[in-house]
Amino acid sequence: MNIRVLGCSGAIAAGYKTTAFLLDDDVLIDAGTGVGDLPLDALAAIDHILISHSHLDHVLGIPLLADAVLRLRAAAGRPPIQVHALPETLDALRRHIFNGVIWPDFTALPSREAPVLSLHAFQIGERLEISGRVIEVLSAAHTVPAVGFAVDGGAAAQHAHWVFTGDTGPNPALWTRLAELRLSHLVIETAFSDDEAELAHVSKHLCPAELGEELAQLAGSVDVRITHIKPGEADAVMQGVQALSSPHRISALAAGQEMLL
Ligand SMILES: [Zn+2]
Ligand SMILES: [Zn+2]
């Protein structure tokens, strides 16, 4: 399995795209602005979208993707793209995006019988089977209902997991679960620098000092990639991260990087 970073920034600017990961060529994990860099045929190949939470930087690619691929997928007789998320997240999409005001209801277009999108609820702790892969829904602690994901690399990878925390503040439940899994990579957010620790606290994100406390709960030496840094903040955040005394191998994630499982 291959996971490509389409976007991993906390906001936009030239060269900075918000959160989106492409698992092989058919599963999208979060749908931030990074999705827009894929060619049309690659967009049309996406059959599943897993969404961590309802915030705009993670969902805005869904309505635009649906519009972009509707004709191609209908002409090819392809099934609806399955959007998987918590019930609260799906409800937010229905009420605030696909409401006929912000965007048409693509769960009923081009027809109610054969729409381009279908919505599927999951629960925290569920192990989803997505086209032969197993993806576990992890808890997250954010300002809205939110999750992370653990992609199981399967028997060939001795069940090593690629883990994405989603947007989250300190989250003890995550470390309890991760203690039971083999990890290949941990993609964890650090949205703010230590100077902005108060902002990180109220918005339920991490800053480097909190990241250090979180990673202290993770045994061994893991390949840790930092995500969701705001454009222009990378030096401040990574200075704080590099100052941590941690047994883990920590680096900043970058768009275009690929991680093999
Ligand atoms: Zn968020
Ligand atoms: Zn975010």
Side-chain angles (χ1 to χ4, degrees):
M1 261 182 257
N2 181 52
I3 291 161
R4 175 147 56 112
V5 183
L6 304 177
C8 59
S9 289
I12 60 162
Y16 295 92
K17 306 295 166 78
T18 71
T19 306
F21 302 98
L22 189 62
L23 170 56
D24 296 329
D25 55 6
D26 59 332
V27 179
L28 188 64
I29 297 177
D30 275 350
T33 63
V35 174
D37 281 355
L38 289 174
L40 184 58
D41 58 344
L43 290 175
I46 293 169
D47 289 324
H48 298 271
I49 307 177
L50 277 61
I51 294 294
S52 65
H53 66 297
S54 60
H55 281 160
L56 191 64
D57 55 320
H58 300 255
V59 304
L60 89 175
I62 309 172
L64 299 172
L65 168 69
D67 192 22
V69 304
L70 180 145
R71 291 153 207 85
L72 271 179
R73 289 185 67 98
R78 301 285 296 282
I81 301 166
Q82 297 187 22
V83 178
H84 306 265
L86 287 172
E88 297 91 333
T89 307
L90 296 178
D91 188 49
L93 291 174
R94 278 190 207 95
R95 287 199 292 143
H96 302 301
I97 303 273
F98 298 111
N99 58 10
V101 178
I102 296 295
W103 210 239
D105 179 7
F106 277 93
T107 66
L109 290 170
S111 69
R112 206 164 278 283
E113 299 71 37
V116 67
L117 294 182
S118 61
L119 306 183
H120 303 264
F122 59 51
Q123 301 294 336
I124 290 165
E126 198 171 327
R127 287 173 70 78
L128 309 169
E129 294 202 24
I130 307 274
S131 301
R133 306 174 195 86
V134 175
I135 303 179
E136 180 169 329
V137 181
L138 302 170
S139 73
H142 198 37
T143 54
V144 294
V147 302
F149 299 106
V151 178
D152 187 334
Q158 297 171 311
H159 294 285
H161 289 73
W162 178 87
V163 171
F164 167 52
T165 63
D167 287 11
T168 188
N171 181 16
L174 176 67
W175 308 110
T176 304
R177 179 58 185 135
L178 293 191
E180 300 167 341
L181 298 178
R182 286 191 63 229
L183 304 191
S184 68
H185 301 84
L186 171 65
V187 175
I188 185 168
E189 75 122 282
T190 305
F192 291 101
S193 65
D194 284 327
D195 291 347
E196 301 170 307
E198 187 51 37
L199 201 50
H201 182 70
V202 297
S203 61
K204 293 197 177 181
H205 284 289
L206 295 173
C207 60
E210 285 177 324
L211 175 76
E213 291 169 19
E214 293 296 283
L215 291 181
Q217 300 170 64
L218 179 66
S221 179
V222 174
D223 188 349
V224 175
R225 309 282 176 96
I226 304 301
T227 190
H228 212 289
I229 304 173
K230 298 251 190 288
E233 298 281 308
D235 287 350
V237 169
M238 289 312 293
Q239 274 171 19
V241 169
Q242 301 302 353
L244 300 171
S245 64
S246 170
H248 303 297
R249 303 178 297 279
I250 312 177
S251 60
L253 197 63
Q257 281 183 359
E258 301 199 355
M259 290 166 277
L260 282 174
L261 247 185

